[in-house]
Amino acid sequence: MIRNSILFLTVLLLSYGFWLSSNFKDIVAGVSIFLFGMILLQQGFKSFTGGMLEKVLKAATNSLTKRLCFGVVTTMMMQSSSLLSVLVISFISAGLLDLAAGIGIIFGANLGTTTGAWLVAAFGLKVKISAYAMPMLVFGVLFQIQKSRNLQGLGSILLGVGFLFLGIHYMKEGFDAFKDTITLSDYAMTGVYGLLVFATLGVVMTVVIQSSGAAMVLIITALAAGQISYENSLALAIGTNIGTTMTAILGSLSADIRGKRLAGAHLVFNLFTSMVAILFIDQFIYSVDWVCKMVDIADDDYTLKLATFHTLFNVVGIIIMLPFINLLARTLERVLIDKAGAVDKPKFLMDSALEYPDTAVEAVRQETVHLYDNVVHIILKTIGLHRRDVFTNQSLTDIVKHYPKLPGYDLDDAYLTHFKGIYSAIIEFISQARFTWEMEQSGRLYWLREANLKLAEALKGAKHLQKNLQKSSLSHNVYLKQEYDTVRYQIAALLRDLELAKSEENISELPLLSQDMLKVQLKDQNKKMMENIEILIRERKISAEMGTSLMNDSAYVYDIQSNLISMAGTVFVNHEIESIGVEREIMLTDQELSELVQSNPESE
Amino acid sequence: MNKIKLLSKLQTFFDSDKASTEARVKGIETVLIKLKAKQDKTRKKLVQCANDDYKKVLSLEIEVMNAQIEKAENFLKDIIDDN
């Protein structure tokens, strides 16, 4: 309702402005064309770079300098930090980047946005920029109608730059013509009062336009036309820095907690930098004069001086804030806590990750590990044990003995709370990703989907097992109790082994072949259990009914374990290590494993 | 000219096949070395082990590795025979 009212009011005001002045129309049209150019430029980079940006980001995360440079260069090329923010959020969500590293990139992006002002001040206003725009638009359209995705991307980039230039041209023309009717510089204000009023104007302008880059271009063109004073333009530039965080905050409202934290970091950085700029404005003006003198910028070239100021106060902000990146990340993680409801939600799946194949695969893998952890929790609760005991060096026999009774556990509720939501989200995410791409990563996603199905199967097995397990814990038959304790021991032992495999995913030698040992142990255990049950029935220590139930349950245990091992083969093993292909060939088949168990004298 | 082009293409094709076979053989040999080293380590553990249950687990592990080594050697033999 409020949104619609604001939209209606904006349309009304703009229409009134267009009716009043054709120059105003030119300026607003310039801003609109400029914004449209930015959208096209981003689209072009997205389709043109494909997974390249993602690969560069992966390589650029190991040092702060690289992160800063990545932020600067990417934003400089795309002339917008929003696409980079989306990419950084998806990387943080996928666990490929921590918040502190993401903040480093965002700091770099902030500096990168200042290059736009340089481009306009040094190039856009000095030459007839529209002359460059026209051929770019023509070539852009020509490439756009080609079938090749790369050419289409290139076409979007050319169209984007063309429209940016055209937008700047219209803004410049509008302000130039405006001089004849109204002189905005008559409203110039000096001193602290002027600084605060124009900084606020800058905030409002950026929030309305929703782009600090476009707002800066508007300020520079107005300054070049002499419509605003140099001093006021500095205040407006500070305002754009604050205003752009409002855009980031509005954008993060629909994002998850990681997006909110990154937007928080952006807000803290820009607010701090702007405060520093306001408090030390005289020192900054002096520094700008000094820098301009050093690099031969004329004393009256105010547009270039404004660009220098914009860059300078962002550089100063980065220098001051850099040592506090980790502190800032920790504080944001403490202050902005995930207040998710009772139902467990996916932690790593972000829609933005769908655009970056490697990130999407890693996000699904991490989410599957998350789901596995929940399954482990549910299975341990079902067999009456706890993670805090099982994943230690304590003897499992002692742990099982320590918890003889199985407390009632609502597995159906646990399934809905800790499994169903994440599982559904993973399957939906994979379906969307596989629909979007025709790439090799689709194959990896297929196996990850299978791994998730195995987890669901393992839970189904636990559900079947639960009833008899609980009954047995209340039984007076010690032999039956003993057998069910063996069942609990076997499941816990496998979970302990898998926890080890999970943490050793990258260092385990021959990880796939090592799984053959787990499989053969399963078969061996199952064989021994069946033989033991037969003996117990024969010696009338348990009834035949008890025996058959035990046999069925033993099959469920086998299902749970083999499903978990199969899942681990996909999720815990690093499939990029060289030996994987050969290991897959050498791995023993189910029949070979069974033959090995049958022929093994130790298992007799 | 066209014949020369075709011949050179054919040669590259056959060479690439040979190169991939060599890479596969090298891969299997590397895994075999690792497997044998792992088996030796487990054998030493078995000799020093005093716990009967753990001894059984280690023996089974050695048996599994034996089967894997045998399978790898058969693969290797088949590849060499085919070429």
Side-chain angles (χ1 to χ4, degrees), chain B residues 43-57:
Chain B
R43 276 208 179 101
K44 277 178 196 157
K45 259 193 215 170
L46 182 65
V47 172
Q48 290 163 352
C49 184
N51 183 317
D52 279 347
D53 286 340
Y54 193 46
K55 261 186 181 175
K56 278 180 192 169
V57 173

Side-chain angles (χ1 to χ4, degrees), chain B residues 1-81:
Chain B
M1 187 68 181
N2 277 342
K3 272 182 195 169
I4 295 168
K5 226 179 189 177
L6 182 69
L7 278 174
S8 77
K9 271 190 178 175
L10 276 172
Q11 188 157 6
T12 320
F13 173 75
F14 286 121
D15 283 352
S16 72
D17 198 35
K18 197 179 157 194
S20 74
T21 310
E22 276 171 9
R24 197 164 165 232
V25 167
K26 204 179 161 198
I28 297 174
E29 280 172 349
T30 313
V31 169
L32 262 172
I33 292 168
K34 282 183 186 171
L35 258 176
K36 283 176 182 169
K38 205 173 168 186
Q39 200 186 31
D40 280 347
K41 231 190 247 176
T42 317
R43 276 208 179 101
K44 277 178 196 157
K45 259 193 215 170
L46 182 65
V47 172
Q48 290 163 352
C49 184
N51 183 317
D52 279 347
D53 286 340
Y54 193 46
K55 261 186 181 175
K56 278 180 192 169
V57 173
L58 290 175
S59 304
L60 192 61
E61 201 171 342
I62 291 169
E63 284 303 309
V64 171
M65 281 188 268
N66 254 343
Q68 288 169 339
I69 290 169
E70 201 180 312
K71 197 171 175 181
E73 281 172 344
N74 283 339
F75 264 123
L76 209 55
K77 203 173 151 244
D78 287 346
I79 296 169
I80 293 165
D81 286 349

Side-chain angles (χ1 to χ4, degrees), chain A residues 509-510 513-514 516-517 520-521 579 582 585-589 592 596 600 602, chain B residues 24 27-28 31 34-35 38 56-57 59-61 63-64 67-68 71-72 75:
Chain A
E509 209 172 41
L510 307 174
L513 291 182
S514 303
D516 276 351
M517 182 57 200
V520 94
Q521 269 179 330
S579 63
V582 177
E585 282 186 289
I586 300 173
M587 265 177 94
L588 302 179
T589 62
E592 285 166 338
L596 199 74
N600 181 30
E602 295 290 343
Chain B
R24 197 164 165 232
I28 297 174
V31 169
K34 282 183 186 171
L35 258 176
K38 205 173 168 186
K56 278 180 192 169
V57 173
S59 304
L60 192 61
E61 201 171 342
E63 284 303 309
V64 171
Q68 288 169 339
K71 197 171 175 181
F75 264 123

Side-chain angles (χ1 to χ4, degrees), chain A residues 381-489:
Chain A
K381 286 274 177 194
T382 308
I383 60 173
L385 302 178
H386 307 279
R387 186 185 281 270
R388 62 171 182 270
D389 302 311
V390 174
F391 298 148
T392 58
N393 290 326
Q394 284 183 66
S395 149
L396 276 178
T397 317
D398 291 346
I399 296 171
V400 171
K401 269 187 197 157
H402 191 255
Y403 299 101
K405 290 219 165 107
L406 271 78
Y409 180 64
D410 192 342
L411 212 149
D412 289 328
D413 182 57
Y415 174 81
L416 289 174
T417 316
H418 301 300
F419 188 84
K420 184 88 168 129
I422 304 171
Y423 178 54
S424 308
I426 292 174
I427 298 299
E428 191 191 352
F429 188 88
I430 291 176
S431 309
Q432 281 174 10
R434 276 163 59 79
F435 179 73
T436 314
W437 320 322
E438 289 169 12
M439 294 178 160
E440 61 180 64
Q441 285 87 349
S442 290
R444 184 96 177 88
L445 283 184
Y446 169 82
W447 290 111
L448 282 169
R449 194 188 62 189
E450 289 297 301
N452 278 280
L453 288 175
K454 300 280 177 201
L455 284 176
E457 288 293 319
L459 266 194
K460 216 197 262 175
K463 169 84 185 150
H464 286 305
L465 183 67
Q466 191 186 29
K467 207 173 91 188
N468 286 338
L469 208 55
Q470 279 194 321
K471 248 199 229 167
S472 75
S473 77
L474 302 170
S475 167
H476 296 291
N477 187 320
V478 276
Y479 300 104
L480 186 74
K481 270 183 127 171
Q482 236 168 33
E483 285 308 301
Y484 275 104
D485 277 350
T486 309
V487 162
R488 293 166 72 204
Y489 173 93

Side-chain angles (χ1 to χ4, degrees), chain A residues 107 132 182 251 283 295 370 377 423 428 430 526 546 590:
Chain A
F107 281 8
Y132 292 93
I182 306 168
Q283 287 79 357
V295 291
H370 174 206
H377 173 82
Y423 178 54
E428 191 191 352
I430 291 176
N526 194 253
M546 283 175 183
D590 200 51

